[in-house]
Amino acid sequence: MTESYTFGALDAECRYPVMLNGNFLGVVFRWHRAWFAVPAAAHPVSLEHEIRVGSGANGKNLAARYLCDEFEAGRIAPGQKAPAPAPATRTGRVPLLHRRMDKPRNRSAALIALRGLEALRWIPLGGYPGADNPWLLKCQLCDWTGIKYWSHLRGRKGNPPSPFRHPGCTGRKAA
């Protein structure tokens, strides 16, 4: 086993690039409580082929370790470059839906979520991924950028949303 892997900055779809000794091996991401790995370049596995690797708290590291093991065994080749990190600010339109959710029945849920984000003063940096999947958002009160879940923001069982936004939020716009 060689040096340990590192994670790059999140992209707009909440995927973490995995690097090993300067080689981009692929991305790992969470979707409905499971962690998936997508090799950067693979034979015979296609670039878009997602491999379910683990779940829970250790799933991110299991997915990254899977890519490292496949690379070290010679079953995948490194990619040219990691995906671009998510933008720090919203510059232009983001898609209404995450590419995995782009179905007509999901459009109404996405519109409700976007109206809710506007009322709660969040800016989406990617399309709506569904209520229980990570969504990259920017806080309009202090410019923090990170992952939130719509199911956690919207309030539950008829209760209003929690006033807690994220660690360190001052509730004031950064200067």
Side-chain angles (χ1 to χ4, degrees), residues 122 148 152-153 161-169:
W122 290 99
K148 299 298 272 181
H152 298 183
L153 293 173
S162 169
F164 177 77
R165 295 180 66 81
H166 56 83
C169 186

Side-chain angles (χ1 to χ4, degrees), residues 93-98 102 106-108 110-111 114 126-129 135:
R93 295 182 64 116
V94 295
L96 174 64
L97 291 162
H98 183 282
D102 199 6
N106 294 327
R107 295 185 195 288
S108 62
L111 292 170
L114 289 174
Y128 176 66
W135 198 0

Side-chain angles (χ1 to χ4, degrees), residues 1 5 7-8 16 21 25 27 29-30 37 40 42 60-61 77 99 122 125 158 166-167 171-172:
M1 211 181 298
Y5 56 86
F7 293 107
Y16 295 90
N21 299 329
L25 301 185
V27 295
F29 64 95
R30 180 182 181 272
K60 180 179 174 184
N61 290 315
R99 63 186 172 89
W122 290 99
L125 298 177
H166 56 83
R172 292 183 293 239

Side-chain angles (χ1 to χ4, degrees), residues 61-146:
N61 290 315
L62 288 173
R65 190 72 247 159
Y66 169 83
L67 290 174
C68 293
D69 292 345
E70 291 295 296
F71 172 70
E72 290 171 350
R75 290 187 286 270
I76 65 171
Q80 296 298 318
K81 62 179 185 168
T89 60
R90 183 175 173 186
T91 56
R93 295 182 64 116
V94 295
L96 174 64
L97 291 162
H98 183 282
R99 63 186 172 89
R100 293 173 66 113
M101 298 287 291
D102 199 6
K103 295 174 180 66
R105 68 175 188 231
N106 294 327
R107 295 185 195 288
S108 62
L111 292 170
I112 291 168
L114 289 174
R115 283 192 297 270
L117 287 182
E118 187 176 336
L120 295 170
R121 307 221 28 221
W122 290 99
I123 297 172
L125 298 177
Y128 176 66
D132 294 320
N133 288 309
W135 198 0
L136 192 62
L137 303 174
K138 182 177 178 180
C139 177
Q140 288 183 345
L141 303 179
C142 69
D143 289 336
W144 175 88
T145 299

Side-chain angles (χ1 to χ4, degrees), residues 45-61:
V45 181
S46 72
L47 182 63
E48 291 299 311
H49 187 72
E50 300 166 350
I51 301 131
R52 183 180 174 147
V53 179
S55 61
N58 295 329
K60 180 179 174 184
N61 290 315

